Amino acid sequence: MSNRNHKVIIIGSGISGIKAAIELHKKGIDTLILEARDRIGGRAYTVESPVTKVKYDLGCCWFHCTGFNPLFKNSLNAGNVEYCFDDSSIAFISNEGYIPGSYNLGPVVDEMKLFASKFENGESLNLHTLSNHYIFENKNVLTKQQIRYAPQLLRLLEVPNGVSWDMVSGSKSIAPYGGRDAFVKNCYETVLNNELKGYPVNEKILTNKVVSAIEKKDSKIIITTTGNEIFTSDYVIVTIPQPLLTLSKGEEGSIEFKPSLPRTITDNFPKTKSVSLNKVIFEFDQVFWPEDIEKFITIGKVDEDFSEKIIENKIDVTDLKVDIEAFDVLGAKTPETWEFPTLVANLFAIKKLPSLMFLIPSPASLYLEKYPDQRWTLLKPLIAKIAKLEESQLPEPINTIGSSWSSDPFSRGSISGIPPDGLIVNEGLIEGFGNIRFAGEHTIYEGHGCAHGAWLSGLREANHILDRLNTK
């Protein structure tokens, strides 16, 4: 059994933990990061294909809101991060094929978002219900094509929210426009390495240290690992994903707090959720799809019954509400192709690789993470429509890579989700628990759910401690 004392101990080496440690280290504060995995980075995770030796990001891979993103600005200053704004060419595809631009769906979907954000009590209804209300109230100024396709295009919000429109808050799922996104071409490991320059990684980040208990004792904090190692500190910054905070004692990844976390934190746990946005990358020998389109958006199959009733005025306002599907049934059923939207990054247009990268929301994401051998079966019909080929004409991928955040015991999800009547942020975590502090993408409004939000939360907590120590 070993005993180690540090001024500040940080649980987790994701972007928030790394940023907090760096800022404290700059001011001469003794820090140590304890990381449960055998690698650093958290959900910023770059892997190498065993077949092509090409690197891909299974976690964050875009700079979001670039006009206000400090990680992006740091990368510009570093000069070694390759990126592109992959928003110049986008195609929308249904099970019927490419959707003509003449349908003019974009302005309608923009208006649907505005409608949902302003709908009375919209936070307590799911996005599906608010979509129905918009179509019902505006049917006389919409074309038949807009009535049929606009709701399914609105469902693209399932991707940034990570979950079905039946499960997410209607109004809170729509984030205000924050600026353009830039794809990181040479992967987020480059971004992380830039941030870590000057920090003594080998001495100050310990991997394979699974924290099992955090105890307040007098003015000190005692941290115990599953290996019975004991560390002590004056402050702790906990950056683990929120689902781990809700686990019962003894579950893998759980931390026992002594005394228990206050109700200002725990009462909000049911109102904030974590969801799993699945990423699947298919590598091929050559490109057989349109080479110059940067993104393909595949939408769910049109609800023909609802559309026809709207068009024929056979629906009443009382028929518009869709029951909220609970988060706890995620992954319970086998998804069907074309019942969920996907965002597909064309990695040939972006970085000259014959690969397609799918982003898939829950519950389909959980199915694919549980049954990775079904990736090609479920997504092959989408690729056929993208390539304008019959399924029988498609070549088999030479390799498939996919994320597994929901089954990872130290993440149990990839991003924060907002259930109806839920909260964007558990403000109890921002308030903290005395000298036990919390950081991560789930603890901040600006950049919520994004890598730069995690970065900003780490900076916030470092500054909080520096203020307490009068060393800022």
Side-chain angles (χ1 to χ4, degrees):
M1 183 179 293
S2 61
N3 290 274
R4 300 174 186 173
N5 181 63
H6 299 270
K7 195 70 177 177
V8 180
I9 290 180
I10 298 164
I11 314 300
S13 68
I15 289 177
S16 61
I18 286 172
K19 180 57 180 174
I22 289 169
E23 291 302 307
L24 292 166
H25 180 73
K26 286 178 182 177
K27 298 295 184 179
I29 306 301
D30 177 31
T31 64
L32 180 71
I33 298 178
L34 300 178
E35 169 56 51
R37 298 183 178 94
D38 61 359
R39 62 172 181 83
I40 66 173
R43 286 169 287 180
Y45 184 30
T46 302
V47 300
E48 183 179 273
S49 165
V51 175
T52 64
K53 305 305 179 185
V54 171
K55 290 185 175 182
Y56 300 96
D57 282 320
L58 288 185
C60 42
C61 59
W62 278 275
F63 291 117
H64 296 293
C65 309
T66 52
F68 308 93
N69 186 326
L71 270 178
F72 180 63
K73 296 185 185 302
N74 287 353
S75 297
L76 292 179
N77 292 332
N80 64 341
V81 176
E82 300 172 13
Y83 67 92
C84 71
F85 291 99
D86 57 336
D87 54 7
S88 62
S89 54
I90 302 175
F92 300 96
I93 300 163
S94 74
N95 62 307
E96 300 166 348
Y98 279 66
I99 299 174
S102 59
Y103 287 2
N104 200 27
L105 300 176
V108 176
V109 173
D110 287 340
E111 190 172 70
M112 293 177 81
K113 293 177 183 178
L114 182 63
F115 175 91
S117 68
K118 295 180 177 295
F119 194 87
E120 185 177 358
N121 297 322
E123 70 279 356
S124 64
L125 301 171
N126 57 27
L127 184 62
H128 193 170
T129 296
L130 297 193
S131 172
N132 287 351
H133 273 277
Y134 172 86
I135 296 296
F136 179 80
E137 293 183 22
N138 293 276
K139 58 181 180 288
N140 293 329
V141 294
L142 298 173
T143 66
K144 290 183 179 180
Q145 292 90 345
Q146 289 167 343
I147 289 171
R148 295 182 71 236
Y149 289 108
Q152 296 305 317
L153 188 53
L154 179 71
R155 289 185 64 189
L156 184 60
L157 286 171
E158 293 183 19
V159 172
N161 284 284
V163 69
S164 164
W165 66 343
D166 291 334
M167 304 176 186
V168 70
S169 170
S171 60
K172 291 183 180 178
S173 64
I174 301 166
Y177 177 69
R180 295 187 295 165
D181 298 337
F183 190 94
V184 183
K185 297 169 67 174
N186 57 341
C187 296
Y188 248 85
E189 68 175 7
T190 309
V191 178
L192 278 178
N193 289 337
N194 285 342
E195 293 293 315
L196 284 166
K197 282 181 180 177
Y199 188 75
V201 174
N202 293 334
E203 296 81 20
K204 294 295 185 180
I205 303 180
L206 302 182
T207 56
N208 296 303
K209 302 297 181 185
V210 181
V211 173
S212 58
I214 297 176
E215 180 181 4
K216 287 187 174 187
K217 194 167 186 179
D218 300 324
S219 61
K220 287 287 187 179
I221 300 176
I222 300 172
I223 300 164
T224 306
T225 71
T226 55
N228 290 324
E229 293 177 287
I230 295 177
F231 299 83
T232 60
S233 64
D234 293 344
Y235 291 89
V236 168
I237 303 176
V238 180
T239 73
I240 62 175
Q242 182 171 286
L244 303 187
L245 297 175
T246 68
L247 296 176
S248 300
K249 180 182 177 181
E251 292 187 72
E252 188 174 11
S254 66
I255 296 178
E256 181 184 10
F257 289 87
K258 306 175 186 178
S260 300
L261 292 175
R263 291 188 60 183
T264 53
I265 293 175
T266 59
D267 282 356
N268 287 331
F269 283 157
K271 302 176 184 178
T272 50
K273 298 290 185 179
S274 182
V275 297
S276 190
L277 181 65
N278 184 233
K279 186 175 289 185
V280 175
I281 300 161
F282 293 111
E283 295 184 298
F284 297 93
D285 277 324
Q286 61 184 3
V287 179
F288 54 88
W289 55 86
E291 297 181 359
D292 57 346
I293 298 175
E294 292 169 329
K295 290 178 183 173
F296 304 102
I297 307 299
T298 70
I299 66 170
K301 189 179 295 185
V302 169
D303 185 341
E304 298 291 2
D305 181 62
F306 176 78
S307 298
E308 288 304 314
K309 286 180 179 178
I310 285 287
I311 292 168
E312 297 174 6
N313 289 313
K314 293 181 178 179
I315 199 165
D316 187 77
V317 68
T318 57
D319 301 322
L320 301 178
K321 186 174 181 180
V322 178
D323 290 338
I324 296 169
E325 193 168 346
F327 271 70
D328 58 6
V329 302
L330 288 177
K333 62 180 182 178
T334 302
E336 295 182 6
T337 303
W338 299 111
E339 74 173 10
F340 54 89
T342 72
L343 186 154
V344 187
N346 179 2
L347 297 186
F348 187 83
I350 294 170
K351 50 195 293 187
K352 299 303 178 186
L353 296 175
S355 304
L356 293 171
M357 182 180 76
F358 282 76
L359 273 67
I360 305 154
S362 300
S365 65
L366 294 179
Y367 174 81
L368 290 175
E369 291 190 355
K370 187 175 182 179
Y371 304 104
D373 60 321
Q374 295 299 306
R375 293 167 180 158
W376 180 241
T377 300
L378 191 63
L379 301 177
K380 183 179 180 179
L382 309 185
I383 295 176
K385 291 298 181 182
I386 289 172
K388 301 179 182 179
L389 296 172
E390 297 296 326
E391 289 184 42
S392 60
Q393 297 176 295
L394 294 182
E396 294 282 324
I398 60 173
N399 187 43
T400 303
I401 302 169
S403 61
S404 56
W405 297 114
S406 62
S407 59
D408 183 330
F410 303 120
S411 62
R412 298 180 184 256
S414 59
I415 56 173
S416 301
I418 311 167
D421 269 336
L423 300 172
I424 298 174
V425 172
N426 183 341
E427 293 192 356
L429 295 175
I430 299 176
E431 181 182 339
F433 185 26
N435 51 353
I436 299 177
R437 310 296 304 169
F438 297 89
E441 52 83 17
H442 57 291
T443 71
I444 193 164
Y445 286 99
E446 183 179 355
H448 177 70
C450 301
H452 72 281
W455 188 97
L456 287 169
S457 73
L459 176 62
R460 177 194 69 209
E461 294 308 321
N463 286 336
H464 174 88
I465 292 173
L466 291 172
D467 284 341
R468 291 290 188 91
L469 297 175
N470 295 315
T471 58
K472 189 173 179 181

